[in-house]
Amino acid sequence: MSAKSSAAIRYTTLRLAIFIGCFVVVGGLVQVGALPKGFGDSNFVWVVLLALVLSAPLSFVLLRKQRDAMSEQIAGKVDRTKARLEANRSQEDGAVQ
């Protein structure tokens, strides 16, 4: 697999790693009492939501290069598919006439 073909996998893996890191940090802060524990039995949901809220902007800032590479990869595939469809359409139009 080339570096270009794995851009989406790399971005997704790094995004998941940032979320897991935030989850561990938030879970630790909740356990030591630096953050509130949530309501009743909602501790796990509270930690997941806080980790999501923290990881989203971190991923946006830290993974800019990976997101751009993934975008280029997807745009290239879309352009090739459009060109292939247009070529097929023009062949069909030529065969009908």
Side-chain angles (χ1 to χ4, degrees), residues 34-97:
L35 291 174
K37 290 193 184 270
F39 299 108
D41 294 332
S42 67
N43 189 29
F44 180 75
V45 174
W46 174 250
V47 172
V48 169
L49 289 175
L50 282 176
L52 283 171
V53 167
L54 290 174
S55 68
L58 286 174
S59 295
F60 184 74
V61 172
L62 297 175
L63 300 179
R64 183 174 311 239
K65 234 185 344 179
Q66 289 80 7
R67 191 173 50 256
D68 290 344
M70 183 178 68
S71 174
E72 288 176 14
Q73 175 188 0
I74 291 170
K77 286 182 181 181
V78 168
D79 290 341
R80 285 191 300 275
T81 302
K82 283 182 179 178
R84 204 170 30 233
L85 287 172
E86 187 59 38
N88 287 342
R89 186 176 301 139
S90 64
Q91 281 180 340
E92 289 174 2
D93 289 344
V96 172
Q97 292 176 358

Side-chain angles (χ1 to χ4, degrees), residues 4-59:
K4 282 274 187 190
S5 66
S6 65
I9 294 170
R10 185 179 321 112
Y11 174 76
T12 303
T13 303
L14 290 171
R15 181 106 193 247
L16 183 62
I18 289 174
F19 169 74
I20 291 171
C22 287
F23 181 78
V24 169
V25 169
V26 169
L29 290 173
V30 165
Q31 289 301 318
V32 298
L35 291 174
K37 290 193 184 270
F39 299 108
D41 294 332
S42 67
N43 189 29
F44 180 75
V45 174
W46 174 250
V47 172
V48 169
L49 289 175
L50 282 176
L52 283 171
V53 167
L54 290 174
S55 68
L58 286 174
S59 295

